[in-house]
Amino acid sequence: MKYSLLLAFVCFLGNTSLAQECNSILLGQVVDFHDNTPLDGATILITGKQNTSFTDFDGKFKFENLCNGVLELEIFHPDCKSKFFTIDMQGDLFQKISLEHHLEELDEVKVLGDVKKNTTSSQEERLSQEDIEKFSGSSLGDALKNITGVSSLNTGANIVKPVIQGLNGSRVLILNNNVRMQDMEWGEEHAPNIDINANQNISVIKGAAALEYGGDAIGGVIVLNPLPIARTDSLFGKTQVNLFSNGRGGNITSEIVKSYESGLYIKAQGSLKRLGDLEAPEYILSNTGIRENNLSLNIGKRDFIQGWEAYYSFFDSDIGILRASHIGNVDDLITAINSPQPRIIEDFTYDITNPNQEVTHHLGKLNYYRRFKGLGKLSLQYDFQLNRRFEYDNRIGEDAGKPSLDLQLTTHTFSPTLQIDAKENLHLKVGLLARFQTNFPNPATGVRRLIPDYDKSDFGVFVLGDYELSDNFKIDAGLRYDFSNINAEKYYRITRWNERNYDEDFGNLITDIVGTQYLTNPVFDFHNVSAMAGFQYELNENQLLRFNYALSQRAPNPAELFSDGLHHSAARIELGDLRIKSESSSKLSASYELASKTWGLVVAPYFNAIDGFILLEPVDAELTIRGAFPLWVYRQTDALLFGIDVSLYHNWTSQLKTDHQFSWVRGTDQTTNIPMINIPAANLNNRISYVHPTFHELTVSLESQYVFEQNRFPPNITVFSPEQQQDVLLEINTPPAAYHLLSLDIGAKFSLFKPEDLSVGLRGTNLLNTNYRDYLNRLRYFVDDLGRNLSIRLIYKY
């Protein structure tokens, strides 16, 4: 009995002691790791107990009557993943807990319409996923023409360079998976070395507002990125096959993705393309086939705190150049311009012979990011590019089979950036750029090198910011400085050196005399400053105003400085100028945007004044050992471009929709008061679409494209004809007539093994087989553009 009383007494003392210790208070606050803002509505649960608390507007919570000891908390929030947190209670305690808010972005693949824009105040448009699939077998430039204000500069159908609001080449930057492409973009017949199938998120930023990517984006920036991969255990992919009647070939592209809940992912993508000779409405375009092989590999790990990515892509193409365009002398060009048909028409073949281009491009990227609590995100990136270009001429004898141009461009880039977004309404981004590039023109070609050996070093620093003044008013601004150094070794014929009057200004560059040539060492430094500022104002939930001013400066590229000789694939002599300085652009752009369920409108005027604009234009003909060729010369002038882009849509019913786009740009050489060369003609595009959602999501679209005649162009030139032994007018600048094209696209979805896993499409372009020539196609001197093309696409998702 006494033992029972003793035991009861001990238990009583123990319970009394415990009761005295279970009076501690836990106060806490749950905040966003991203910007340290309080998180309202979070749930805090003490595991193993029934105690539950909720955060208030300030993110604060409270537990009372807690016993001392180790407690485990589980925190929930609708926009966050659950987090377990262990604390050691020894009396009253205040604990601040950070949750990885916005972590849901790592667990979903957003549709394109919801993807955040790259800028606030500038004009930006995206390609839809449907358009990317429609142009899977075409070039990037062809697909981008679906965006208002974007046209293309073509060398036939396979070499297509984007033109944004009248500007192209080095003035248009292309970002491939956050890597700026370095693929000799200065050549009019150098297409971007990009497989459109490797990226599903493609947008165009018009103008130089995106200073993060480069201050020299006077024309604009094309941003291509793959869609984010969900943080989940999955295995999925897609294969698309396209067959074409024009060219009698097609392409196949396939990708497969393996992802894990940990954030690790692996993606592989590849494509093959084979086309034979293309066809105009009335004849074969001999030697216009293409062979293309592309591969990309991506592995990485995405987490909220940190992540990394390794990316590699390989692009390989062999492109035939229209044989009829390979002129032997200026008389050939005169004959070609005056003839309704090409001078060479052969039977259809899949063979690609001279003249042709062979291009390979390797791109590698390593990226690492880490988030810092209450500060932002630091990203470090290194990328490497190797671009190899061969251009083949019709050569005979011992030189047969040798390329006339053999260039190797190697680029290394390191670019750290820090995104500061700890404050809810203010976001800043600062970054550095260090790039080294070397160009090696192989002298084994036996042909005078068009572009010399050079080393190029670039350094840049930028700061960007956007601030939300209110729920409907945002402003953004940026400043960037770029330094470029070019160190070249170049041979000049003494006669050319004297003809250009270089001796007076650049006599100190001569390092040696080799026969009839000077060996020179041009070294140039360029200091460029770029800036932008603008705002976005929401009039209401359906209407938006944007305004942007951008000052951008672009250093001349090596072709503009050093070109000196026959550019074989272009069949012309090109001359650069050592006196060329940086361009400076001042651009004002605005847009009014309206979007509702029934209709939408975008009106976007712009005004661009460019001091020291660098242009390439024909001035004469020059005699070489190959014959007489047109002479194209780089020069600087002051230019003025202004225009407007308009797009309109109307949903007549839930099944019937119309889309309309109009673009117009006017360019004038202010120095001579004459129109600028290669300015796109005004164009009007219309589309009517019908969708039958209950019958395999059948979609039928009829598209109309009307391109006006360009009635503003520089004067033609007079050249001496060796055949006629007199001066003749060479109508090299006269634009062709206006034209109208019709296209039809039909698509439907079917279920094989999963719901709607098979998509089938039929597309027809130039349905009426119209004869036409486009002003910005440099083969317009020789042949009509493409005739009717029927294509079939099959897309299987697994």
Side-chain angles (χ1 to χ4, degrees), residues 165-276:
Q165 295 181 336
L167 299 175
N168 66 85
S170 297
R171 302 177 185 92
V172 174
L173 309 189
I174 300 180
L175 272 291
N176 182 5
N177 202 349
N178 206 44
V179 176
R180 176 172 173 170
M181 294 295 292
Q182 302 288 335
D183 52 359
M184 308 180 194
E185 75 285 345
W186 44 264
E188 288 185 0
E189 75 293 351
H190 298 179
N193 299 151
I194 290 179
D195 178 13
I196 189 174
N197 299 290
N199 300 277
Q200 299 80 36
N201 184 358
I202 302 176
S203 64
V204 172
I205 303 170
K206 302 172 185 177
L211 292 183
E212 175 184 356
Y213 308 119
D216 50 352
I218 292 176
V221 180
I222 300 169
V223 183
L224 303 98
N225 284 310
L227 291 177
I229 298 171
R231 278 172 50 111
T232 182
D233 287 322
S234 64
L235 178 66
F236 61 94
K238 180 178 75 170
T239 296
Q240 178 167 348
V241 177
N242 301 281
L243 301 175
F244 304 98
S245 64
N246 201 330
R248 308 180 198 181
N251 80 302
I252 180 172
T253 178
S254 187
E255 67 178 34
I256 187 167
V257 179
K258 174 59 181 172
S259 62
Y260 299 87
E261 190 173 357
S262 64
L264 182 67
Y265 62 90
I266 304 172
K267 177 182 177 182
Q269 181 271 336
S271 59
L272 298 173
K273 183 178 181 180
R274 298 290 186 272
L275 289 175

Side-chain angles (χ1 to χ4, degrees), residues 556-614:
N557 64 47
E560 294 163 338
L561 291 169
F562 305 125
S563 289
D564 180 19
L566 183 60
H567 197 167
H568 292 266
S569 67
R572 66 192 186 196
I573 297 169
E574 296 178 3
L575 290 183
D577 194 334
L578 295 177
R579 298 181 179 89
I580 286 179
K581 307 298 182 183
S582 293
E583 292 179 337
S584 181
S585 164
S586 294
K587 183 174 183 179
L588 294 172
S589 60
S591 66
Y592 167 77
E593 304 173 21
L594 183 151
S596 68
K597 292 182 179 180
T598 55
W599 72 292
L601 172 69
V602 177
V603 180
Y606 56 91
F607 177 92
N608 196 355
I610 307 177
D611 294 334
F613 182 81
I614 305 169

